[in-house]
Amino acid sequence: MAPKATVYKVHLQVADMDRGYYHDHHLTLAQHPSETDSRMMVRLLAFAMNASDTLEFSKGLCVEDEPELWEKSLSGDIELWIEFGQSDEKWLRKASGRSGQVQLFAYGGRSVPIWWQQNQQAFERYKNLKVWNIPEDAVKEMGALVSRSMTLQYNISEGQIWVSNDSGSVLVEPELLKE
């Protein structure tokens, strides 16, 4: 029997001074059996950085031609496609063609600069692609904040993000590789 996803209840409080966005979100998040706590927290970070009333998690880990996080218009068009990890150029070309804006949240420590060097030139073609590098230390520290029922505060100001809960806080300074 295949292992099932673990379900997390998340109360997300976003205070984004850079965008003037202040809102609470109540999310039910499924963690795929192969997904680490740290990767799940990168997904929540991406949600907080792009939070809106229409942003939602899709079936992305289980469905090949959907992003893991997206924002769709009322007519069903994909306005924002968000991916995670170190995607290949073919996948991002597809995303760029199907969406108004694409964001990739890369993480993985020392392997990110090597991956970026190999792909940067190809990615420059895509004018609607934004690539972030999330520092390895911050990814690990965010993973330590995980519990089955979470209340997380995301305070975003001048490109810095403080992620906190009752037991601690983590400073995340995402590096914008491509805008």
Side-chain angles (χ1 to χ4, degrees):
M1 180 181 236
K4 295 185 180 199
T6 304
V7 176
Y8 291 85
K9 297 289 185 178
V10 184
H11 177 203
L12 205 67
Q13 300 169 330
V14 179
D16 188 339
M17 278 70 76
D18 294 344
R19 293 189 303 144
Y21 181 87
Y22 307 91
H23 199 69
D24 287 4
H25 296 270
H26 296 277
L27 306 171
T28 300
L29 193 62
Q31 181 185 28
H32 191 273
S34 66
E35 183 178 36
T36 65
D37 289 347
S38 295
R39 186 182 188 286
M40 183 180 68
M41 292 301 286
V42 171
R43 289 196 296 144
L44 284 171
L45 176 73
F47 187 97
M49 290 174 64
N50 294 282
S52 75
D53 292 335
T54 55
L55 186 66
E56 60 185 18
F57 290 98
S58 71
K59 299 174 188 171
L61 278 174
C62 303
V63 178
E64 285 189 24
D65 50 329
E66 284 185 3
E68 294 180 53
L69 187 58
W70 62 4
E71 187 168 24
K72 294 172 91 174
S73 69
L74 293 175
S75 63
D77 295 333
I78 302 171
E79 294 177 343
L80 176 61
W81 180 302
I82 299 177
E83 285 295 323
F84 302 93
Q86 298 172 23
S87 293
D88 64 2
E89 190 267 339
K90 180 181 174 186
W91 182 247
L92 291 174
R93 177 178 56 237
K94 178 181 178 180
S96 292
R98 293 185 56 202
S99 177
Q101 182 184 15
V102 177
Q103 289 190 31
L104 173 64
F105 287 80
Y107 61 95
R110 294 181 300 198
S111 65
V112 172
I114 297 164
W115 164 83
W116 179 244
Q117 184 179 16
Q118 293 170 346
N119 292 283
Q120 180 178 8
Q121 188 173 2
F123 292 169
E124 290 302 325
R125 287 183 264 204
Y126 307 114
K127 302 301 178 203
N128 62 342
L129 172 64
K130 186 183 278 190
V131 180
W132 296 96
N133 177 23
I134 309 302
E136 182 177 25
D137 291 344
V139 172
K140 287 179 182 176
E141 290 176 36
M142 285 190 302
L145 299 177
V146 171
S147 65
R148 290 292 295 271
S149 179
M150 295 183 271
T151 298
L152 298 169
Q153 296 84 32
Y154 287 80
N155 294 302
I156 303 170
S157 179
E158 297 179 8
Q160 292 185 326
I161 304 164
W162 281 98
V163 182
S164 55
N165 66 8
D166 290 341
S167 64
S169 62
V170 176
L171 174 61
V172 183
E173 296 180 282
E175 175 189 6
L176 185 58
L177 298 176
K178 180 190 179 306
E179 184 163 18

